[in-house]
Amino acid sequence: MDADRPSPRIIHLPKVSDPRGNLSFLESEGHVPFSIRRAYWIYDVPGGMHRDGHAFRTQHELIVALSGSFDVVLNDGATETRHHMARSYYALYVPPMTWRRIDNFSTNSVVLVLSSQDYDPADYIEDFDEYRRLLALLPEPGQPESATEGTRHDSAPRPAPLPPASVDSCQLIALDKHHHANGNLTVVQNGDPIPFDIRRVYYLYDIPGGEARGGHAHRQLRQLLVAISGSFDVVLDDGRRQRRVTLGRPYQGLLIVPGIWRVLDNFSSGSVCLCLASEHYDEADYIRNHDDFIAELRHNAETQNNH
Ligand code: T46
């Protein structure tokens, strides 16, 4: 175990307010003080239920209330600290060797957990006495590191060519649903079932009725969209054909490949769109004008035909 053990802390996240709804995002090794290996979300938690306490030997976690509210109760072996999580623009960082349980779930609450490791039952410590015994062998935790809030990664433009793509290459993926009496859980790991590493997570929330989002294409970005709460439609457009996909289940994901124009609309009230993305935010990766998108597709097709 590391001699400089980090302490738990609240991390404030960017909240990009917009008449089309709010957006917050977290970047691996940025707001998230580790590399994201796995994301999971807990939902459909019946009133009065809680998620049992445990600690992890080595894995780091970041916990966000994507919808509703709940409490994360941390125990350092001597003292309990209760964190009420009720807004999706802050996160709780939980370092390894911290005992934690989750309780006091509101109706329609959704917990998002980002983890530094793949699922590994051997990393769990499920017995509190054993946790205290192991904790006593460790050095004291260090001072909290300063939070890396609000950093935007607008890097210098480096337009990549727009890859040819088809709306049919955007797959609707049935994600695992681990059914349990104290709530359901869906998990996505890097490479399983998504064909990329999660380098950024963002979510759209507080979306006023009748609004649409998106309206652009990406050159390189791959992403998985999930309706964490409520429902919405995604209109995919490859320049030749359009396809409308409805998302309305937290255990269903839409994989969007680069080179596809997308618009999100028909948001139900209370809907939250979660996106797991393959890259950090980069404005140079966006094509935000549909005429430019079509012109670039045509140009690429002509160039290819001439070779
Ligand atoms: C997508 C659809 C579904 C950041 O600073 N960091 C980020 O990670 C993101 C996603 C956005 N932003 C800033 C950029 C803009 O100033 O937040 C503002 C709103 O972003 P945008 O207009 O791109 O929001 P949407 O909802 O139209 O698009 C977003 C994603 O950008 C996009 O990749 O596919 O959701």
Side-chain angles (χ1 to χ4, degrees):
M1 180 70 53
D2 193 354
D4 293 323
R5 273 206 308 130
S7 301
R9 64 179 192 270
I10 291 287
I11 296 179
H12 295 273
L13 305 172
K15 178 176 150 204
V16 185
S17 300
D18 192 301
R20 302 168 302 157
N22 292 326
L23 180 155
S24 290
F25 63 98
L26 307 103
E27 295 190 336
S28 205
E29 292 150 343
H31 319 95
V32 182
F34 52 83
S35 291
I36 303 169
R37 286 273 334 149
R38 177 166 59 112
Y40 65 89
W41 40 99
I42 300 167
Y43 49 97
D44 297 343
V45 181
M49 290 293 185
H50 67 273
R51 306 296 293 199
D52 282 339
H54 56 259
F56 293 110
R57 291 170 201 274
T58 58
Q59 85 184 257
H60 301 248
E61 292 182 313
L62 206 70
I63 302 179
V64 183
L66 276 193
S67 171
S69 66
F70 51 83
D71 291 357
V72 181
V73 186
L74 303 182
N75 190 317
D76 62 5
T79 315
E80 263 197 6
T81 317
R82 180 172 286 273
H83 295 269
H84 185 56
M85 306 297 291
R87 297 283 173 213
S88 51
Y89 47 84
Y90 63 85
L92 178 64
Y93 167 61
V94 183
M97 290 303 288
T98 311
W99 189 267
R100 63 114 169 123
R101 70 170 195 277
I102 309 180
D103 64 16
N104 196 25
F105 288 89
S106 74
T107 305
N108 290 336
S109 51
V110 180
V111 184
L112 171 69
V113 182
L114 303 179
S115 166
S116 64
Q117 290 183 23
D118 288 350
Y119 175 67
D120 177 9
D123 201 47
Y124 280 74
I125 306 169
E126 312 236 32
D127 179 84
F128 190 65
D129 292 337
E130 172 68 354
Y131 164 69
R132 297 230 301 185
R133 190 186 68 75
L134 293 170
L135 198 63
L137 305 174
L138 297 178
E140 286 294 305
Q143 288 304 306
E145 295 156 31
S146 59
T148 53
E149 58 185 89
T151 343
R152 283 208 186 178
H153 293 260
D154 291 288
S155 54
R158 48 163 183 74
L162 193 63
S166 152
V167 290
D168 297 325
S169 27
C170 298
Q171 281 170 269
L172 202 50
I173 302 178
L175 307 171
D176 275 351
K177 181 167 83 161
H178 299 270
H179 190 72
H180 200 274
N182 60 2
N184 294 326
L185 186 150
T186 288
V187 58
V188 170
Q189 293 187 168
N190 290 350
D192 175 24
I194 47 170
F196 59 82
D197 288 355
I198 304 165
R199 300 202 61 223
R200 177 168 52 113
V201 174
Y202 69 85
Y203 31 90
L204 311 171
Y205 54 101
D206 295 345
I207 301 159
E211 291 296 340
R213 300 219 47 144
H216 53 249
H218 285 283
R219 297 175 182 281
Q220 289 183 313
L221 189 75
R222 290 177 287 169
Q223 36 187 9
L224 185 82
L225 296 187
V226 180
I228 280 295
S229 178
S231 66
F232 54 87
D233 290 356
V234 186
V235 183
L236 304 165
D237 173 354
D238 58 18
R240 297 171 303 278
R241 280 191 305 130
Q242 286 199 345
R243 181 179 150 211
R244 180 176 283 272
V245 179
T246 299
L247 293 177
R249 299 278 177 246
Y251 48 87
Q252 208 175 45
L254 177 66
L255 183 70
I256 306 187
V257 297
I260 298 288
W261 187 268
R262 90 291 317 271
V263 174
L264 276 61
D265 63 12
N266 201 20
F267 287 94
S268 72
S269 56
S271 52
V272 177
C273 166
L274 171 70
C275 175
L276 307 180
S278 65
E279 310 295 335
H280 284 179
Y281 175 71
D282 180 2
E283 188 56 37
D285 195 59
Y286 286 75
I287 303 178
R288 291 195 184 261
N289 179 296
H290 195 261
D291 290 343
D292 294 347
F293 170 66
I294 297 295
E296 197 167 325
L297 286 178
R298 284 208 184 115
H299 172 78
N300 291 350
E302 280 163 17
T303 317
Q304 228 173 16
N305 288 341
N306 293 338
H307 281 101

